[in-house]
Amino acid sequence: MKICVFCASSESVDDVYFEAAADLGKEIVMQGWELLYGGTNCGLMREVSDAVKNSGGKVTGIIPQCIVDRGVSAEGISELIVTPDMKERKSMMREKADAFIALPGGWGTLEEITEVMSKVSLKHLDAPCILYNLNGYYDSLKQLLDHMIKMGLSSENRQQGIYFADDMEDIKTYLTA
């Protein structure tokens, strides 16, 4: 199974998020899965990638040329695919992944995971979409999705396949269901 992980490239996040990224990477290898991610050597992206790589797992990075040009491409991973732009990167990630996990992140992470959530909601993508709600990071988004249902703008059926995981055990449950 190829697990696409969206997460922060920032180095300025609390250590608990770095630890969670490393734990997720190790779990991916322990389960015999592969990592698919954004292909940089920064922040939580580097942490999850290094954990998989250092545990003997397979890591595929997909990175747009504009980010390669910044000099932050991952090195020493199994495969690095360079795309012409972000749109192609996201499309390729969706095509190659069997499941999606969003660790805490900023605008890029939010944009990537909500696009996957939309496709899952519309049944255009049949893959688990998991938001790792470490320390309540995604509580507000979860409340928004509940509010959308209450307001008649979404439904429980439309949100099937979108999960909020509080810990690694929840993640494993959603991925092996």
Side-chain angles (χ1 to χ4, degrees), residues 12 37 39 42 95 105 112 140 144 146:
S12 302
Y37 85 116
C42 307
E95 289 170 14
E112 290 168 327
S140 296
L144 176 61
D146 290 342

Side-chain angles (χ1 to χ4, degrees), residues 2 37 39 58-62 76-81 96:
K2 291 182 182 178
Y37 85 116
K58 183 174 180 185
V59 177
T60 300
I62 302 178
I77 62 174
S78 309
E79 182 178 16
L80 184 67
I81 300 168
K96 291 183 174 289

Side-chain angles (χ1 to χ4, degrees), residues 139-173:
D139 280 351
S140 296
L141 182 56
K142 186 176 184 183
Q143 289 171 353
L144 176 61
L145 296 182
D146 290 342
H147 182 68
M148 291 166 68
I149 292 171
K150 288 177 189 167
M151 299 305 293
L153 300 169
S154 187
S155 67
E156 288 184 21
N157 183 50
R158 292 285 300 267
Q159 293 184 20
Q160 285 181 340
I162 300 169
Y163 307 101
F164 290 83
D166 292 325
D167 54 37
M168 198 62 62
E169 289 305 311
D170 286 348
I171 290 172
K172 287 192 301 189
T173 297

Side-chain angles (χ1 to χ4, degrees), residues 21-47:
D23 289 346
L24 177 60
K26 292 172 192 170
E27 188 64 38
I28 286 170
V29 175
M30 285 181 14
Q31 295 296 327
W33 300 329
E34 298 176 15
L35 173 66
L36 181 66
Y37 85 116
T40 77
N41 63 2
C42 307
L44 299 183
M45 282 195 205
R46 182 196 65 244
E47 195 72 22

